Amino acid sequence: LPIDEMCTIYLEKCGPDFKGFGSKDSRNAYNHLRLRLERLKKKWSGKYVDQITKLDVRDLLTTYSVGS
């Protein structure tokens, strides 16, 4: 499964749970999830889920924890 497709499916399935009942905080949580998934798509574009290693995840976390 390509990472782009996985992120899209995850947002479709789990995104509505973050939207809540229209509260400002719940919309914010949904947008944060959407943005994080967009980062994954951009970073790992063209890779399949089973090609992503622990080192890839570590590098991603290091990049975004420093850049935040």
Side-chain angles (χ1 to χ4, degrees):
L1 185 67
I3 194 73
D4 298 344
E5 190 176 333
M6 191 275 309
C7 288
T8 302
I9 291 169
Y10 185 79
L11 188 61
E12 288 173 0
K13 296 228 180 245
C14 298
D17 293 339
F18 285 96
K19 286 185 181 178
F21 298 103
S23 72
K24 192 174 196 176
D25 292 336
S26 63
R27 285 192 303 271
N28 197 23
Y30 174 79
N31 286 331
H32 283 294
L33 174 64
R34 186 180 50 78
L35 291 174
R36 285 191 301 260
L37 291 173
E38 289 299 321
R39 284 181 182 169
L40 290 178
K41 285 182 183 183
K42 184 178 178 182
K43 181 76 173 178
W44 295 330
S45 180
K47 283 192 173 187
Y48 286 83
V49 174
D50 62 348
Q51 294 175 322
I52 297 168
T53 66
K54 291 182 204 179
L55 295 176
D56 292 327
V57 174
R58 184 200 64 193
D59 292 343
L60 179 78
L61 294 174
T62 302
T63 301
Y64 288 112
S65 65
V66 171
S68 295

